[in-house]
Amino acid sequence: MRKQKKMFSTILTCTVMITMLAACSKSTPDASTAPASNAPATAAPASSAPTAAVDQDALYFGKYDPPITITTVRRTVQGAKYKPGDSADENNWTRLLKEHGIIIKTLWSQDASEFVNKMNVSIATSDIPELIPQINSTQANTLIAADGILDMKPYLDKYLSPQAKQFLYSDPAMMSGLMKDGKQLLMPSGAAEIRQDAKSLYIRKDWLDKLKLPVPTTLEQFRQVSDAFTHQDPDGNGKDDTYGYGIAGKDNLILDWGGLGGFFEMYKVQPGPWYDGTLFFEKDPSGKAIWSGAKPAMRDALSTLQDMYKKGELAKDFGTVDAGGKLYQDIIGSKVGMFDGRPWMPNWPLPDLKSKVPTAEFIAVNFPSADGAPTKPYGYIPGNVYKAVSKNTKHPEAIVQMINLYVEKLFGKTAEPAKYNSIDVNDAGSQHWAAPFILEDLYVNSKNYTAISAAIKSKDASKLDALQKGYYDDILKYQADPKYIVGWSANQTYSGAENTIGKHYYEDLKESDITKNLWFSFPTSTMAAKAPTYKKMAEEAITKIIYGQLPITDWDKTVASWNKLGGDEILKEVQSQVK
């Protein structure tokens, strides 16, 4: 299951850190003027472009002689098992880099729960590694303000291999969004294509069929379905124990699956933030940038939610419901008929429902429309954490070479998946995430869908890679044995069959269907600093309004308060930079 990284951290004291970082700053290497020692000894001369394949190999995969050292830090993986003699610092990946004269020195390691705090300490004490594998928006803005991050654009332009460039720049808009003043200061970490976070309405198709109801496409039909799922005993057990729409109000009310993000998008509004604190901005009819949460339609959406709550279509305690607990239990317990989901639902929690109720069938569809115009999912810039390179790095081109080697050994002509992309749980050192620099393929899921669904249709798996072939085999096993839950998950994601989740996300939904945030970039320091305050006040106001404890017009008061606390300042930042 793909877990989203929620990286809100304590705001650092920027003035102190800027002083510290500036004090230890050194001159910055330049890709065109860097001395010969900054490039592999076998690389092509800097003054001329490679003219033969051997020159290209030297430029992209050359060897340093004498060897160089690159410092980094590592976020450990809980439960990782290594074969005898291997470790996080000594494995197939580090040995590969040593063969190319690159020695990796890990300054410190920390598990996910404390990694952000440990990185904060490193920033505060100016103990920054050369390769920074993961920072959040607050940390990134602090380092950028201190002029502590190197512009990697000239090195990427010169040393990045063509195949690696296809991966890193697969979403050019995203890479542009991680630039500042024409400088490539950040690179994505843990990002996926924008469709991966599109909000879709998950709905019990077997309940619709039992009650002879159509898949809702309008707000009126949505309300009819919600009412029927609440009052017409869709599970047929003779008890009044079901409800229409599930909400994880404790932790996911306006962020992540099980929240209200998709519901609000029925009204063409989006008050929810992204994981890095970025709010959603769009243009009004006059072309002026506005914050989506301030649009008048928010009141209409809140009015509908308040009415649904009064009629029992929402859980009475939705405000204290958590996504991984109570909502999960209601989904697998056949208590709720609709919720806001993501494409990884076939991996969790739906298999647990399928195991309990084999006839249960959730489908994913676009959210209905409140105004008759088709609803388009709202999308933020993919990812919410980043990679960066310290400005004190002596060999920035070596980090680009690490990217090249990663892509080559996983996807290139000399790829060795058994050695570098293994699925052996007892040999973590041969898995892709053991590499010091991991470059994710943003489109890996949709590529797998296209390849596997085509193979299922043609009954020819000869063009599939090892991972895809595994999913293919699971689907065939499921078709022979519908009780095979692992195969059911693969079938839902990759088979291309009608009404499957994968077909909705990777075939029916096009990337062009996404309404992209006008601010398609990492957040400013103001956004990152103010985000937790906004999220808390918005969640409190929305919950109380739905409960009927506050009038709907109180949302206007919340907007006014937020504007005074930082909303107006952030909007001015957006309006000044987005034309």
Side-chain angles (χ1 to χ4, degrees), residues 143-221:
L143 288 169
I144 291 171
D147 194 26
I149 296 180
L150 179 66
D151 174 17
M152 287 297 291
K153 187 178 186 303
Y155 302 96
L156 293 169
D157 288 348
K158 180 174 181 180
Y159 294 104
L160 192 65
S161 71
Q163 189 174 25
K165 189 169 292 186
Q166 291 178 4
F167 281 86
L168 188 59
Y169 291 90
S170 58
D171 186 343
M174 180 192 67
M175 283 296 286
S176 295
L178 299 182
M179 297 181 76
K180 185 176 178 65
D181 300 327
K183 298 179 180 180
Q184 193 71 62
L185 301 177
L186 301 175
M187 291 175 281
S189 179
E193 65 169 296
I194 198 168
R195 287 182 296 183
Q196 281 294 120
D197 286 293
K199 306 164 194 69
S200 294
L201 178 64
Y202 275 68
I203 184 167
R204 280 288 293 263
K205 180 66 164 55
D206 54 315
W207 286 9
L208 287 178
D209 294 343
K210 180 178 184 295
L211 300 175
K212 295 180 172 55
L213 293 170
V215 175
T217 59
T218 65
L219 177 62
E220 181 181 8
Q221 291 175 338

Side-chain angles (χ1 to χ4, degrees), residues 228-413:
F229 283 1
T230 305
H231 300 115
Q232 294 184 27
D233 191 24
D235 60 350
N237 67 355
K239 299 178 181 179
D240 182 16
D241 60 354
T242 58
Y243 63 100
Y245 193 75
I247 303 172
K250 179 181 178 181
D251 45 11
N252 288 15
L253 186 67
I254 56 175
L255 177 66
D256 215 329
W257 82 279
L260 288 172
F263 184 94
F264 286 124
E265 289 174 8
M266 290 198 294
Y267 290 83
K268 311 297 190 297
V269 296
Q270 184 48 266
W274 186 232
Y275 298 97
D276 59 10
T278 306
L279 295 178
F280 198 93
F281 297 90
E282 53 189 304
K283 290 185 177 181
D284 67 11
S286 70
K288 186 177 181 180
I290 61 170
W291 171 47
S292 186
K295 293 168 69 175
M298 266 296 294
R299 292 192 294 271
D300 298 328
L302 291 170
S303 176
T304 299
L305 287 166
Q306 193 179 76
D307 186 62
M308 290 175 68
Y309 183 76
K310 289 177 182 178
K311 295 178 177 178
E313 297 169 29
L314 310 179
K316 288 295 182 184
D317 58 347
F318 80 88
T320 60
V321 168
D322 58 323
K326 181 62 163 55
L327 180 56
Y328 161 76
Q329 293 295 337
D330 284 354
I331 290 171
I332 71 168
S334 288
K335 302 300 181 185
V336 63
M338 295 184 289
F339 66 91
D340 179 345
R342 302 294 184 273
W344 43 266
M345 303 284 103
N347 296 326
W348 185 91
L350 298 188
D352 295 340
L353 168 64
K354 196 68 177 178
S355 296
K356 295 181 65 174
V357 186
T359 57
E361 181 186 6
F362 265 103
I363 59 172
V365 297
N366 289 339
F367 270 87
S369 171
D371 62 3
T375 300
K376 293 186 175 183
Y378 282 34
Y380 301 82
I381 187 170
N384 59 291
V385 290
Y386 322 99
K387 292 180 175 68
V389 177
S390 168
K391 203 165 187 179
N392 294 333
T393 302
K394 297 178 181 178
H395 300 280
E397 79 293 332
I399 292 174
V400 180
Q401 185 169 325
M402 291 164 63
I403 301 175
N404 295 339
L405 287 168
Y406 179 87
V407 173
E408 176 63 25
K409 290 304 177 183
L410 262 60
F411 311 105
K413 294 179 180 179

